[in-house]
Amino acid sequence: MLQPNRYWQTSMQASSLSQADLLNHLIDEAEAIVIGIGAGMSAATGFTYIGKRFTDAFPDFIEKYGLLDMLQASLFQFEDTQEYWAFQSRFCLLNFFDQPVGQAYVDLKDMLEGKDYHIITTNADNAFYAAEFDMDKVFRIQGEYGLLQCSQRCHQQTYQNEALIREMVEKQSDMKIPRDLIPYCPKCGATLEVNKRDDKGMVEDGHFYEQKERYEQFLKENEDKKILFLEIGVGHTTPQYIKHPFQQMTEKNEKALFVTMNQKEYFTPRNIRPRTVRIDEDIEEVLHLANNK
Ligand SMILES: [Zn+2]
C-alpha cells in the first residue's frame, strides 16, 4: 500500500511500524499539520447516528416516519415547524449542548500539543468544545448545531439560545413544541432553523469568516513546508471541503504527505498515491495507542 516519500523518513520505515507508531512518527516529523475531521471521527468515539443512540432518543419519530438514521432524520421535511423543533431540539441537546467528551478527540488534542496545526471539520456537533480544543485552530465549515439561522437566509447572522432549546425539549408533547416557543427571525419574521448547510447554502456570519480566514492563513503560511494532511473519518458525502482540497494541496507540494484514517477505502488519484498513507484500523483505538506511547 505505502510507497516511500523521500522527504519523510517515517514513510521509508512504515512497513515495520504499527499504525499507532506510524501516526506518531508522522506527527513528530511534520513541520505543519492540517487535520480534516469528518463524521467517522465522532462515530468512532461513540457519537453514532445509528443504533441505540438514535432509537433511544427518537422512538416516536422513528415509528411515525420509519426514519433509518439520525442524519436522514435531521434533514427530514417534518409536517410543520412545531414538529421540526420537537425533533431538532432533542437532536441539539444530544449532539451539542449535552454531548459528553469523546476520548478520540482528547487523544488527538493531546497528541497535537506543541505542534503547529490547524483543523477543518464538517462536523457540526460539540465534540471540539467538549474536549477543550483551542477553537482558534478549528474551522467549522458546515455550521454548528448550537446556533440558529433565518430559514429564508435573509441576513448573515446566527443566534444562540440554549435556554429556548431546553424549554422546547421539556415542554413538547405528541412530537410538537408549544406554538409560542417557535423562534422567528428578528429581521424578516420567517422562522429560525438550525445553522447547517443544505442545497441552498447556509448563513455564514462574521464568526464563520474569521474561522475561514485563520484556516486559509495557516495554509498559506505553510504551503511550501513538509506538511501533513491528515484526514480522519472523512467519507464521500461532501468531498469538496476536505478530501479533494487535501489531495490537491498534496499534489501541488512534493514535500506534503496525505494520510487518510478510515476503515473504508476511497479512491485516491493516481498521481498522489506515492504520497498517500492509509491507516485503516479503528480510529479511536489508533489515536488512543498513539497518544499513550
Ligand atoms: Zn430573516
Side-chain angles (χ1 to χ4, degrees):
M1 168 60 63
L2 180 71
Q3 296 163 56
N5 175 334
R6 66 192 170 94
Y7 292 100
W8 295 75
Q9 215 187 345
T10 305
S11 84
M12 304 280 192
Q13 313 158 338
S15 54
S16 62
L17 296 171
S18 72
Q19 295 198 340
D21 283 336
L22 175 61
L23 180 63
N24 238 332
H25 290 247
L26 291 171
I27 286 176
D28 277 349
E29 213 186 323
E31 290 171 353
I33 309 165
V34 182
I35 305 130
I37 306 243
M41 169 85 162
S42 278
T45 199
F47 310 131
T48 53
Y49 275 16
I50 50 167
K52 195 171 181 316
R53 192 165 177 270
F54 175 51
T55 55
D56 279 359
F58 302 103
D60 41 0
F61 284 95
I62 293 167
E63 193 188 330
K64 182 168 178 183
Y65 292 116
L67 300 168
L68 299 172
D69 65 66
M70 227 184 306
L71 180 65
Q72 178 214 18
S74 71
L75 302 169
F76 190 76
Q77 291 294 318
F78 292 107
E79 66 181 28
D80 60 25
T81 309
Q82 285 169 271
E83 193 181 63
Y84 169 89
W85 276 113
F87 178 90
Q88 299 294 347
S89 58
R90 277 190 248 166
F91 180 94
C92 290
L93 286 201
L94 186 65
N95 295 299
F96 199 89
F97 294 112
D98 289 341
Q99 187 180 13
V101 178
Q103 186 59 44
Y105 285 90
V106 174
D107 285 320
L108 178 67
K109 188 190 73 174
D110 290 351
M111 283 173 71
L112 293 170
E113 181 81 42
K115 301 297 295 184
D116 203 14
Y117 72 94
H118 210 96
I119 293 170
I120 176 171
T121 185
T122 49
N123 296 351
D125 67 9
N126 196 42
F128 289 98
Y129 289 112
E132 297 182 343
F133 269 80
D134 175 355
M135 295 310 287
D136 285 349
K137 293 180 184 291
V138 182
F139 175 23
R140 307 157 68 85
I141 197 166
Q142 298 282 61
E144 293 184 30
Y145 297 144
L147 298 175
L148 306 175
Q149 65 187 14
C150 171
S151 58
Q152 295 304 306
R153 325 278 160 88
C154 80
H155 67 299
Q156 299 293 308
Q157 193 180 326
T158 58
Y159 300 88
Q160 187 156 22
N161 196 336
E162 181 182 342
L164 176 67
I165 302 290
R166 290 193 183 280
E167 200 178 348
M168 288 177 181
V169 173
E170 278 162 28
K171 294 191 176 159
Q172 62 180 255
S173 65
D174 296 331
M175 301 159 66
K176 304 262 185 198
I177 63 158
R179 190 177 291 273
D180 63 357
L181 292 185
I182 298 172
Y184 293 99
C185 172
K187 306 267 185 202
C188 77
T191 53
L192 294 180
E193 62 178 10
V194 178
N195 175 226
K196 70 173 83 160
R197 200 180 296 276
D198 60 19
D199 50 8
K200 299 191 296 289
M202 72 169 197
V203 166
E204 296 174 347
D205 60 6
H207 176 58
F208 177 91
Y209 282 101
E210 284 165 22
Q211 295 177 59
K212 184 168 187 274
E213 205 178 301
R214 281 193 292 262
Y215 176 66
E216 287 170 352
Q217 182 68 25
F218 185 87
L219 293 178
K220 196 156 174 271
E221 280 168 5
N222 293 289
E223 62 186 355
D224 299 323
K225 289 195 188 149
K226 193 169 134 183
I227 188 162
L228 184 67
F229 289 100
L230 171 61
E231 58 154 52
I232 309 180
V234 175
H236 224 287
T237 322
T238 51
Q240 68 270 35
Y241 298 122
I242 298 173
K243 192 176 286 293
H244 291 168
F246 275 25
Q247 291 174 343
Q248 285 153 9
M249 289 186 284
T250 302
E251 188 178 354
K252 267 196 226 154
N253 172 0
E254 63 168 2
K255 286 191 266 177
L257 196 70
F258 174 60
V259 177
T260 172
M261 288 182 77
N262 210 313
Q263 288 183 302
K264 280 189 206 154
E265 187 168 9
Y266 292 93
F267 175 78
T268 307
R270 183 182 298 274
N271 44 4
I272 66 154
R273 278 181 212 162
R275 283 186 267 142
T276 297
V277 174
R278 188 165 165 245
I279 292 180
D280 60 3
E281 289 170 8
D282 181 79
I283 289 169
E284 186 173 56
E285 250 175 67
V286 172
L287 289 173
H288 198 59
L289 286 171
N291 185 37
N292 287 285
K293 287 283 169 189

